[in-house]
């Protein structure tokens, strides 16, 4: 194509850096929106605070002379347009929403760093061979539906999420209606994969691996897969005092044994696997009645899809054994399956060589938390840059990342964009 844009730098590559002070002002201003007394933020998706953050974001996009864009899933973007209209789009993103009583850094640093990258590139008047779009994904934290905005873009929202006929969706539908969106239209937020050049995100680690290693940049290789199951043990209620101890069909006893055995098995046989059971409902739920029903929700995570399915089979087997031993029946129902996602090997190498150029220490990591890249990797090459979380705290007001690390992460992001532009 004759009009193809080719990146041309007028200065040595290391001269291109973000304006750390300006980015910090943005971060401080954003931290005020939905601020809680203990230095956290509360910006639950589609809440008043979330909308305030979006208005703030839209103003910054306007001030930076970027183009504003949104879609039918309420994703909100600032775009640095390529002068070649049919060019592909490189997405850079994160999220402005938080968990209830969350931290200031999760999601927010990806947005302010992305904004700073777009501003810096625009100020240098660099012509990129792709549209560069900074996107704020709706409900990344799953207040309504986990990774909602990213799944809409990937065209991966199951019909039960977007059906207006389902009574369970009424409140979500109303929340979207307040901003002029209709649940049934969300599917049109899907992007054509051919229109995308990739997705990049800067995020906090939510763990202690970087801090312990004294390294400022984590290059994510994979995001773990995650499966949840509803497991219900059925026994028989009875008088707690008069029923023979050896003839009880105690549903909670079966459930308790299952939980303990599941933990032991994952530790013994699946070293990198995760098991969690944080939700147990017992019926009738009285101290003097033998439990007739124990309903659990369990979660499994693993970076390998094949070991994940091994682990799932093993859980089902244990549940059946625990039921049999205690004269119970058990129902096992899979609920959510998010497959493990591999990041783009080419993007991983690009980030690493940019870190070398910038003299930033880096290491490869697996992400044990879910992120937009997990779903977007199904339609476009993805990569994530992690920065340290002090003490590994995440999803809490005490969340903290030293500013030097955020600045380093933003520069790694900027240079990755430049390197991808040079390679396009
Ligand atoms: Zn996040």
């Amino acid at each position: 194509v004759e009009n193809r844009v080719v990146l041309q730098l007028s200065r040595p590559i290391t001269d291109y850096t973000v304006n750390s002070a300006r980015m910090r002002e943005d971060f401080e201003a954003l931290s005020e929106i939905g601020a809680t007394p203990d230095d956290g933020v509360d910006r639950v998706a589609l809440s008043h605070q979330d909308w305030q953050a979006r208005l703030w974001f839209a103003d910054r996009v306007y001030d930076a002379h970027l183009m504003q864009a949104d879609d039918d899933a309420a994703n909100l973007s600032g775009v640095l347009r390529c002068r070649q209209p049919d060019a592909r789009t490189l997405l850079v993103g994160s999220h402005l929403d938080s968990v209830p009583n969350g931290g200031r850094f999760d999601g927010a640093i990806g947005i302010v760093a992305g904004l700073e990258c777009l501003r810096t590139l625009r100020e240098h008047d660099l012509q990129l061979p792709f549209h560069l779009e900074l996107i704020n994904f709706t409900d990344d934290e799953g207040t309504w539906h986990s990774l909602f905005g990213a799944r809409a873009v990937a065209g991966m929202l199951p019909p039960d999420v977007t059906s207006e006929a389902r009574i369970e969706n009424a409140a979500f539908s109303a929340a979207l209606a307040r901003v002029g969106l209709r649940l049934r239209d969300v599917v049109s937020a899907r992007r054509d994969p051919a229109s995308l050049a990739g997705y990049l995100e800067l995020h906090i680690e939510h763990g202690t691996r970087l801090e312990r290693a004294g390294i400022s940049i984590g290059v994510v290789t994979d995001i773990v897969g995650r499966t949840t199951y509803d497991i219900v043990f059925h026994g028989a209620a009875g008088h707690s005092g008069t029923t023979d101890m050896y003839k009880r069909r105690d549903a909670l006893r079966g459930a308790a044994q299952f939980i303990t055995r599941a933990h032991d098995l994952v530790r013994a046989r699946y070293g990198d696997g995760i098991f969690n059971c944080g939700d147990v409902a017992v019926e009738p739920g009285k101290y003097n009645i033998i439990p007739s029903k124990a309903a659990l929700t369990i979660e499994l995570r693993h970076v390998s899809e094949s070991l994940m399915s091994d682990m799932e089979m093993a859980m089902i087997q244990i549940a059946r054994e625990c039921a049999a031993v205690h004269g119970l029946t058990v129902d096992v129902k899979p609920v959510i399956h998010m497959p493990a996602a591999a990041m783009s090997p080419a993007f991983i190498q690009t980030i690493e060589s940019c870190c070398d150029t910038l003299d930033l220490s880096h290491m490869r990591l697996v992400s044990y938390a879910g992120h937009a890249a997990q779903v977007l990797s199904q339609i476009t090459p993805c990569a994530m840059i992690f920065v340290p979380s002090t003490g590994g705290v995440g999803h809490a007001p005490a969340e903290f990342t030293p500013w030097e690390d955020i600045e380093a992460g933003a520069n790694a992001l900027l240079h990755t964009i430049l390197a991808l532009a040079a390679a396009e």
Side-chain angles (χ1 to χ4, degrees):
V1 187
E2 54 214 81
N3 286 335
R4 229 174 76 85
V5 176
V6 177
L7 177 72
Q8 280 174 332
L9 301 180
S10 51
R11 308 161 64 169
I13 189 82
T14 46
D15 276 11
Y16 297 91
T17 54
V18 298
N19 180 334
S20 177
R22 182 170 62 181
M23 179 169 68
R24 191 161 196 169
E25 270 175 43
D26 278 346
F27 177 73
E28 303 294 345
L30 180 55
S31 299
E32 290 299 311
I33 303 173
T36 57
D38 48 3
D39 280 340
V41 292
D42 209 317
R43 286 197 302 261
V44 170
L46 303 180
S47 66
H48 175 66
Q49 290 79 4
D50 182 27
W51 284 100
Q52 274 190 298
R54 288 159 181 266
L55 290 174
W56 174 86
F57 177 66
D59 285 345
R60 298 292 77 71
V61 165
Y62 179 83
D63 291 347
H65 305 285
L66 301 167
M67 199 190 86
Q68 208 185 100
D70 60 11
D71 66 21
D72 282 323
N75 296 315
L76 181 63
S77 300
V79 189
L80 185 60
R81 294 275 301 173
C82 172
R83 64 160 191 249
Q84 189 187 320
D86 62 347
R88 296 192 298 167
T89 297
L90 179 69
L91 295 171
V92 174
S94 202
H95 58 98
L96 292 165
D97 73 318
S98 78
V99 295
N101 198 28
R104 288 175 292 159
F105 297 83
D106 187 338
I109 66 157
I111 295 291
V112 298
L115 182 62
E116 187 51 40
C117 287
L118 266 65
R119 274 194 304 229
T120 303
L121 293 166
R122 193 181 174 282
E123 284 166 355
H124 284 287
D125 206 16
L126 291 175
Q127 298 298 318
L128 303 177
F130 39 61
H131 306 297
L132 182 60
E133 176 175 346
L134 169 62
I135 184 164
N136 163 51
F137 286 114
T138 302
D139 199 11
D140 192 271
E141 296 291 8
T143 299
W144 303 93
H145 295 288
S146 178
L147 303 173
F148 173 78
R151 288 201 286 164
V153 165
M156 286 172 57
L157 280 172
D160 63 330
V161 168
T162 50
S163 157
E164 284 177 357
R166 286 182 87 238
I167 191 75
E168 294 90 335
N169 289 339
F172 183 46
S173 188
L176 284 174
R178 281 200 293 279
V179 297
L181 295 175
R182 295 185 303 184
L183 201 48
R184 77 182 93 134
D185 293 337
V186 163
V187 286
S188 48
R190 193 189 86 89
R191 302 275 185 107
D192 176 4
S195 72
L196 300 175
Y199 174 71
L200 303 173
E201 179 168 356
L202 171 71
H203 201 278
I204 59 168
E205 184 200 343
H206 276 317
T208 54
R209 290 163 295 175
L210 291 172
E211 187 184 35
R212 275 186 285 132
I215 284 175
S216 53
I217 301 292
V219 186
V220 177
T221 56
D222 302 87
I223 301 175
V224 289
R226 179 168 157 263
T227 303
T228 64
Y229 279 88
D230 283 340
I231 299 184
V232 184
F233 291 90
H234 299 275
H239 192 293
S240 68
T242 59
T243 311
D244 189 320
M245 275 301 268
Y246 295 93
K247 289 186 179 153
R248 317 182 160 211
R249 295 171 54 218
D250 181 336
L252 182 57
R253 194 159 170 235
Q257 189 183 42
F258 165 76
I259 294 168
T260 317
R261 283 189 58 189
H263 272 289
D264 290 346
L265 180 86
V266 170
R267 280 169 181 73
R269 216 196 293 165
Y270 303 94
D272 298 324
I274 300 281
F275 169 82
N276 187 56
C277 175
D279 184 2
V280 180
V282 179
E283 288 178 21
K286 295 280 176 272
Y287 73 94
N288 57 358
I289 304 177
I290 296 165
S292 59
K293 181 175 163 188
L296 320 176
T297 304
I298 67 157
E299 181 196 57
L300 300 166
R301 297 182 191 227
H302 208 292
V303 72
S304 148
E305 277 292 296
S306 72
L307 287 173
M308 175 74 122
S309 46
D310 272 15
M311 205 158 70
E312 289 174 49
M313 290 302 129
M315 291 301 136
I316 295 168
Q317 180 61 27
I318 295 177
R320 293 208 175 115
E321 286 171 17
C322 293
V325 168
H326 300 285
L328 311 170
T329 59
V330 65
D331 295 328
V332 179
K333 193 181 95 188
V335 184
I336 297 171
H337 178 68
M338 293 282 258
M343 300 296 96
S344 152
F347 282 17
I348 290 169
Q349 280 173 17
T350 303
I351 296 170
E352 287 173 332
S353 68
C354 290
C355 288
D356 291 338
T357 304
L358 294 167
D359 208 14
L360 298 171
S361 57
H362 57 89
M363 68 187 276
R364 293 185 176 197
L365 295 174
V366 165
S367 171
Y368 281 91
H371 294 289
Q374 188 163 10
V375 284
L376 294 171
S377 65
Q378 311 256 344
I379 61 160
T380 196
C382 291
M384 290 193 77
I385 298 169
F386 274 2
V387 286
S389 299
T390 300
V393 180
H395 286 179
E399 204 171 81
F400 184 78
T401 298
W403 186 258
E404 314 81 81
D405 291 327
I406 296 172
E407 183 182 344
N411 279 321
L413 182 63
L414 177 71
H415 278 252
T416 303
I417 295 166
L418 285 170
L420 294 178
E424 182 81 356

